[in-house]
């Protein structure tokens, strides 16, 4: 009955308060490691690896006590950096028309 009295009051219920916080350093290390895996796989032509990395992050999220608001941006950053660097590196450094080619390869 005491729980019902707390309904509607600010701070009465703390969802997820027992979860640990993700430090920015750990988040950045995780993003860079995932981006390196995706970039290495992209160089080898394994374009399905971002899906596997996202699946692994989703399966490990409850075990690592990460919230979705930490996991989703991490996976998005991994994918953008991991795919973007190998696809656009020739266009930026070697002056090759890789932007359009990258879209064709990825499709």
């Amino acid at each position: 009955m005491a729980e019902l009295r707390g309904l509607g009051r600010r701070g009465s219920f703390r969802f997820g308060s027992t979860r640990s916080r993700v430090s920015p350093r750990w988040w950045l290390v995780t993003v860079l490691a995932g981006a390196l895996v995706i970039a290495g796989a992209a160089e080898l032509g394994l374009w399905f690896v971002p899906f596997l990395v996202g699946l692994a992050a989703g399966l490990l999220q409850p075990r690592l006590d990460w919230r979705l608001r930490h996991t989703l941006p991490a996976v998005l950053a991994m994918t953008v950096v991991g795919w973007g660097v190998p696809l656009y590196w020739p266009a930026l450094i070697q002056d090759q028309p890789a932007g359009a080619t990258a879209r064709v390869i990825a499709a």
Side-chain angles (χ1 to χ4, degrees), residues 12-66:
S12 61
F13 291 99
R14 302 288 231 180
F15 293 112
S17 62
T18 60
R19 294 187 177 223
S20 62
R21 295 188 54 183
V22 178
S23 70
R25 183 177 296 158
W26 177 244
W27 189 87
L28 186 61
V29 167
T30 304
V31 168
L32 290 177
L36 284 174
V37 168
I38 293 172
E43 287 294 324
L44 295 174
L46 303 173
W47 297 102
F48 57 89
V49 171
F51 170 74
L52 296 179
V53 170
L55 182 65
L59 291 174
L60 290 175
Q61 176 200 1
R63 290 175 180 82
L64 296 176
D65 288 335
W66 277 29

Side-chain angles (χ1 to χ4, degrees), residues 76-94:
L76 288 174
M78 285 180 214
T79 304
V80 167
V81 172
W83 263 357
V85 170
L87 289 176
Y88 286 101
W89 186 264
L92 297 175
I93 302 301
Q94 301 170 354

